[in-house]
């Protein structure tokens, strides 16, 4: 009876190993969205006028694979700093209409990819999404 159980276990081990390897391959190609939390909040269009202009941006970064996700998380403080610097430089026009916000999103993506390329040797981030973007 014990020999039969051992034989059954011996035959099932290669199948278990294959299942684990398949799971690792899936993780490599799995798309994930890394949310930068808390949202980015700050002032922009600092033209010296009496009115204070404020933005709030909920940003998510699209990556593929667990390694890319870890790389983004490891570099999140640098990414946040660069995005805050970019948003602070904006004007009322670049924060107010849809076309300008799309240009801002593309510039933010380009800058995040540059950071990741400098830090990891690969752009890593495939897309940058504004889940919510408010400018007043």
């Amino acid at each position: 009876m014990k020999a039969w159980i051992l034989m059954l276990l011996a035959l099932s081990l290669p199948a278990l190993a294959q299942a684990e390897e398949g799971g690792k391959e899936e993780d490599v190609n799995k798309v994930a969205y890394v949310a930068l939390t808390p949202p980015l909040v700050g002032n922009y269009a600092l033209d010296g006028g009496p009115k204070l202009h404020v933005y709030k941006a909920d940003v998510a970064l699209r990556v593929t694979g667990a390694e890319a996700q870890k790389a983004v998380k490891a570099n999140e403080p640098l990414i946040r700093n660069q995005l805050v610097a970019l948003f602070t430089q904006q004007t009322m026009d670049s924060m107010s209409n849809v076309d300008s916000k799309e240009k801002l999103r593309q510039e933010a993506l380009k800058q995040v990819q540059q950071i990741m390329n400098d830090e990891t040797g690969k752009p890593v981030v495939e897309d940058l999404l504004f889940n919510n973007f408010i400018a007043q």
Side-chain angles (χ1 to χ4, degrees), residues 40-44 53-57 83-85 87-88 95 133-136:
L40 303 168
V41 178
N43 299 325
Y44 71 99
H53 303 287
V54 180
Y55 71 87
K56 177 184 174 192
L83 291 177
V84 167
F87 295 154
T88 301
M95 295 286 246
F133 192 91
I134 300 169
Q136 296 180 339

Side-chain angles (χ1 to χ4, degrees), residues 75 78-83 110-123:
N75 290 289
L78 187 56
I79 292 169
R80 291 178 68 84
N81 180 66
Q82 188 63 35
L83 291 177
K110 188 187 322 178
Q111 290 189 19
V112 168
Q113 287 175 330
Q114 183 62 49
I115 288 168
M116 294 307 297
N117 198 40
D118 292 347
E119 297 298 316
T120 67
K122 295 181 271 186

